[in-house]
Amino acid sequence: MVTSVTNFVIPDTIKIGNAKYKVTSIAESAFEDNEKLKAVTIGSNITKIGDSAFYGCTSLIKVKGGKDVKVIGEQAFYNCKKLNSITLSSKLTTIEKSAFYKCTSLKKITIPSSVSKIGAKAFYGCKKLKTITIKTKKLTSSKVGKQAFKGIYSKATIKVPKSKLNAYKKIIHMPFSVYNLLHQELIK
């Protein structure tokens, strides 16, 4: 577990002796409870952010890179209350349960077209989350967990593919007033 670093770059590769190895995942609880960590750059070979990888990193503000990340594990960014900037990989398929639970400074998120699963309470308590753009057409009621978006900004704007508007209204379970905005914010 890394606990005293403020800025960290997860490399694409590491060299041990004469051998070079790709770094493909961030281990479970790798940075858990590091209250000094402020910024992370994720290497281009990372495909999985492990469960609780950044759990309780209360000073973490920005995460960048990670163009090949396919899975964000359970509670990966749990209670990262200063996290306000993260770009999700266009290859992302799964956002596990409570992945961004109580990331109370997160203001916007774009869920890529490749995502087919969003776990329960994935964005629970992200009270400043005002703009959600959902590009995927792959979500179903069995692929979005309970309370995935509960506790976000009460007047959030949610942008969805036009063809999925009615289905996503049922799946996401947001207040009716939020969906009034959807009619003006459809993605083609």
Side-chain angles (χ1 to χ4, degrees):
M1 184 176 352
V2 180
T3 59
S4 62
V5 175
T6 58
N7 295 298
F8 196 85
V9 175
I10 298 164
D12 297 338
T13 59
I14 58 169
K15 190 173 180 181
I16 300 174
N18 291 328
K20 194 174 187 180
Y21 300 94
K22 283 185 178 182
V23 179
T24 59
S25 67
I26 301 171
E28 181 176 322
S29 304
F31 296 88
E32 185 174 351
D33 292 328
N34 179 336
E35 295 178 359
K36 294 179 182 178
L37 187 65
K38 292 182 180 181
V40 173
T41 301
I42 298 174
S44 62
N45 293 322
I46 300 293
T47 58
K48 181 176 183 186
I49 298 174
D51 295 350
S52 303
F54 298 96
Y55 182 108
C57 292
T58 54
S59 296
L60 183 62
I61 297 168
K62 184 174 186 174
V63 177
K64 64 181 183 176
K67 68 178 184 66
D68 284 343
V69 172
K70 294 178 182 171
V71 176
I72 297 176
E74 290 183 18
Q75 301 180 336
F77 295 96
Y78 188 101
N79 202 33
C80 293
K81 42 187 158 178
K82 290 187 180 176
L83 182 64
N84 64 31
S85 179
I86 186 165
T87 301
L88 302 180
S89 162
S90 62
K91 296 179 182 179
L92 185 67
T93 61
T94 305
I95 301 170
E96 293 289 3
K97 70 179 183 180
S98 302
F100 295 95
Y101 187 97
K102 293 216 174 176
C103 290
T104 55
S105 295
L106 195 60
K107 294 178 184 167
K108 66 180 181 174
I109 196 85
T110 298
I111 297 170
S113 59
S114 53
V115 172
S116 59
K117 179 186 174 195
I118 299 174
K121 298 184 179 181
F123 296 95
Y124 184 97
C126 296
K127 63 185 180 183
K128 291 184 182 174
L129 188 53
K130 293 181 178 184
T131 305
I132 301 169
T133 302
I134 301 174
K135 292 185 174 182
T136 185
K137 295 180 181 180
K138 299 176 183 177
L139 299 175
T140 63
S141 59
S142 65
K143 297 286 185 173
V144 177
K146 291 181 180 179
Q147 301 180 331
F149 296 95
K150 185 171 176 76
I152 66 167
Y153 183 70
S154 64
K155 295 181 182 177
T157 299
I158 302 173
K159 302 174 186 181
V160 301
K162 186 175 184 177
S163 64
K164 300 302 271 182
L165 176 63
N166 290 328
Y168 285 5
K169 273 185 182 183
K170 294 173 188 169
I171 293 170
I172 298 172
H173 305 293
M174 293 302 297
F176 183 76
S177 62
V178 172
Y179 286 105
N180 288 337
L181 298 172
L182 282 172
H183 297 288
Q184 299 166 1
E185 303 284 347
L186 298 175
I187 302 169
K188 294 181 179 155

